[in-house]
């Protein structure tokens, strides 16, 4: 009701993006009613309310003010993760550093906490000829999460801000996370940036990689190559396991559960689920809710982006959609920033030229 009120009040029309969002929001929260063991606090707190509140907050702000706020957010994100980058290089050269062993998010895995400014996975340290290699976590519990956020922020920066220094740091962050998602989604970014020179640059990187492979395979094999799925599928071991579990799930559910899902939050509660890919959406939201969610994402990141910027920009705006296939986190801060900036830019375009649909 609030989002419709603000949208109609300020722009004299109902943007279809908001309709898709509200539909996915209602279906997603309605599905919670079918979770047997969900805590009352989770049931009362509407999933997706953060995105809706952010959209309401920025309804009355102009584009320049919105961009200034989010530009500062991106800079802050980079700045608070720079100490982790410095520590990564100190670890690389085997400096004697103190740390505490901690556990995060009720996991039984051990993490190294360095001076309360960086976290590293205790089980991912490789020593070779006087150097130590690990995956960069930043302030996140998973390197893959840090890598995914870095590539989405890289796309945001190129579309709206074009801060070269920040982009360099985001690329360094992503490369040192050894995140397969980051590496794959970096390709469309490089294609967008290099245009005609992309093939030459890619070929040069491959030649260089082949030349030094024997010297770096102790890192590449455990951190990257081992994460490819069985049979050469570019899924990663955990995502291939997701696919196997999902096939079993489909074989054993009724039609109603397939359509409406098991409720937001059920993925973590159910031990036989624990999906960490796009299958989480289908498990929690069902087929119907997932369809509405992807209609919303496609409407914002593809349809609206094409209308505003043209065809070429889709190389960047499709990055968030591909990222959730690997990491189902459409309600994260970076996704919200991207969505709000695109919607505000579209509204500015309509204000400048009322003839644009």
């Amino acid at each position: 009701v609030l989002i419709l009120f603000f949208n109609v009040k300020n722009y004299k029309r109902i943007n279809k993006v908001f309709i898709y969002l509200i539909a996915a929001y209602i279906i997603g929260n309605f599905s919670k009613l079918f979770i047997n063991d969900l805590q009352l606090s989770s049931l009362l707190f509407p999933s997706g309310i953060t995105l809706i509140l952010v959209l309401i907050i920025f309804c009355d702000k102009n584009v320049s003010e919105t961009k200034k706020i989010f530009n500062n957010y991106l800079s802050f994100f980079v700045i608070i993760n720079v100490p982790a980058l410095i520590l990564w290089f100190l670890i690389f050269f085997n400096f004697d550093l103190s740390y505490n062993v901690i556990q995060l998010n009720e996991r039984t895995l051990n993490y190294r906490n360095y001076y309360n400014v960086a976290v590293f996975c205790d089980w991912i340290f490789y020593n070779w000829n006087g150097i130590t290699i690990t995956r960069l976590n930043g302030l996140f519990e998973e390197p893959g999460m840090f890598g995914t956020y870095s590539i989405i922020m890289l796309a945001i920066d190129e579309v709206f801000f074009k801060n070269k220094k920040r982009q360099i740091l985001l690329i360094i962050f992503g490369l040192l996370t050894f995140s397969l998602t980051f590496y794959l989604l970096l390709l469309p970014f490089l294609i967008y940036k290099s245009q005609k020179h992309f093939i030459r640059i890619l070929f040069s990187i491959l030649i260089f990689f082949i030349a030094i492979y024997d010297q770096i395979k102790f890192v590449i094999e455990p951190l990257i190559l081992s994460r490819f799925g069985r049979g050469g599928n570019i899924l990663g071991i955990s995502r291939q396991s997701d696919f196997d579990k999902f096939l079993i799930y489909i074989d054993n559910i009724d039609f109603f559960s397939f359509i409406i899902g098991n409720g937001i939050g059920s993925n973590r509660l159910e031990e036989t689920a624990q999906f960490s890919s796009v299958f989480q959406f289908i498990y929690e939201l069902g087929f119907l809710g997932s369809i509405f969610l992807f209609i919303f994402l496609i409407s914002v990141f593809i349809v609206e982006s094409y209308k505003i910027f043209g065809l070429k920009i889709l190389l960047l705006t499709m990055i968030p959609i591909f990222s959730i296939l690997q990491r189902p986190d459409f309600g994260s801060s970076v996704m919200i920033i991207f969505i709000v900036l695109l919607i505000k830019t579209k509204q500015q375009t309509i204000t400048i030229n009322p003839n644009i649909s």
Side-chain angles (χ1 to χ4, degrees):
V1 172
L2 283 173
I3 196 67
L4 286 173
F5 172 76
F6 275 90
N7 194 50
V8 174
K9 175 186 174 183
N10 291 306
Y11 305 110
K12 309 300 187 243
R13 68 177 68 195
I14 299 176
N15 193 317
K16 60 185 177 182
V17 168
F18 294 112
I19 298 175
Y20 292 144
L21 175 61
I22 291 171
Y25 169 78
I26 292 174
I27 292 173
N29 287 282
F30 175 73
S31 66
K32 282 184 173 184
L33 300 175
F34 301 97
I35 303 179
N36 295 325
D37 301 323
L38 190 64
Q39 296 177 359
L40 181 61
S41 59
S42 298
L43 183 62
L44 292 176
F45 186 78
S47 300
I49 194 66
T50 306
L51 175 56
I52 289 181
L53 289 175
V54 170
L55 288 173
I56 291 174
I57 290 171
F58 284 94
C59 271
D60 286 328
K61 295 185 182 297
N62 57 43
V63 175
S64 60
E65 187 178 3
T66 301
K67 290 178 69 174
K68 181 178 180 181
I69 292 171
F70 289 146
N71 185 40
N72 289 336
Y73 180 90
L74 263 65
S75 295
F76 182 69
F77 176 90
V78 169
I79 290 170
I80 63 173
N81 283 292
V82 165
L85 179 63
I86 295 172
L87 285 167
W88 189 94
F89 281 103
L90 293 177
I91 292 171
F92 180 84
F93 291 109
N94 283 326
F95 277 76
D96 186 18
L97 304 173
S98 61
Y99 61 87
N100 298 320
V101 176
I102 60 173
Q103 294 181 339
L104 297 173
N105 202 20
E106 299 180 356
R107 296 185 175 192
T108 57
L109 300 170
N110 290 330
Y111 295 82
R112 299 185 184 185
N113 173 21
Y114 287 85
Y115 312 109
N116 294 324
V117 296
V119 175
F120 292 90
C121 301
D122 186 55
W123 64 95
I124 310 180
F125 277 79
Y126 299 92
N127 300 301
W128 182 77
N129 281 2
I131 62 174
T132 300
I133 299 291
T134 186
R135 297 180 67 184
L136 182 66
N137 286 50
L139 291 172
F140 296 90
E141 61 181 303
E142 293 183 7
M145 183 183 296
F146 189 24
T148 300
Y149 284 11
S150 295
I151 190 63
I152 295 175
M153 285 196 169
L154 192 61
I156 293 173
D157 195 289
E158 180 60 28
V159 174
F160 297 103
F161 304 112
K162 294 179 172 57
N163 186 318
K164 292 183 178 180
K165 293 180 180 179
R166 190 163 60 201
Q167 289 183 15
I168 291 172
L169 284 171
L170 287 170
I171 291 174
I172 294 174
F173 288 160
L175 292 175
L176 296 182
T177 63
F178 294 95
S179 165
L180 191 59
T181 300
F182 180 88
Y183 288 167
L184 293 176
L185 296 182
L186 185 62
L187 289 177
F189 176 83
L190 294 176
I191 294 173
Y192 179 88
K193 291 285 286 185
S194 56
Q195 300 179 24
K196 297 179 180 179
H197 303 292
F198 172 73
I199 299 298
R200 186 185 305 171
I201 294 173
L202 182 61
F203 184 74
S204 301
I205 293 174
L206 289 175
I207 294 297
F208 177 75
F209 176 79
I210 293 171
I212 66 171
Y213 179 76
D214 285 339
Q215 284 71 41
I216 63 174
K217 65 180 181 180
F218 78 99
V219 175
I220 299 300
E221 290 179 354
L223 292 184
I224 299 179
L225 297 184
S226 65
R227 303 181 63 240
F228 281 68
R230 291 194 294 269
N233 294 322
I234 306 179
L235 294 173
I237 295 173
S238 63
R239 273 54 179 186
Q240 184 67 33
S241 174
D242 269 11
F243 182 71
D244 296 337
K245 286 190 298 182
F246 184 72
L247 291 179
I248 297 173
Y249 166 69
I250 290 296
D251 288 338
N252 292 281
I253 61 170
D254 54 46
F255 180 75
F256 182 78
S257 297
F258 175 73
I259 293 296
I260 202 67
N262 298 281
I264 292 179
S266 59
N267 182 62
R268 287 196 173 188
L269 294 173
E270 179 56 53
E271 293 183 4
T272 58
Q274 305 297 316
F275 294 108
S276 53
S277 65
V278 70
F279 297 122
Q280 176 183 325
F281 292 137
I282 303 176
Y283 183 84
E284 293 189 344
L285 299 175
F287 178 78
L288 187 60
S290 300
I291 288 295
F292 272 97
L293 173 62
F294 277 95
I295 288 175
F296 167 67
L297 295 174
I298 291 171
S299 175
V300 174
F301 289 115
I302 296 181
V303 178
E304 301 296 339
S305 298
Y306 171 73
K307 290 179 180 179
I308 299 170
F309 299 105
L311 183 63
K312 182 182 174 183
I313 205 70
L314 298 186
L315 284 167
L316 300 177
T317 58
M318 289 178 67
I319 286 177
I321 296 180
F322 284 120
S323 74
I324 66 173
L325 299 178
Q326 180 82 348
R327 184 170 298 279
D329 192 10
F330 82 96
S332 63
S333 60
V334 289
M335 295 288 281
I336 291 175
I337 289 172
F338 217 149
I339 291 169
V340 171
L341 285 172
L342 286 171
I343 291 176
K344 295 299 296 183
T345 303
K346 175 66 181 296
Q347 290 168 347
Q348 181 190 43
T349 306
I350 292 174
T351 303
I352 295 173
N353 185 357
N355 295 322
I356 295 180
S357 171

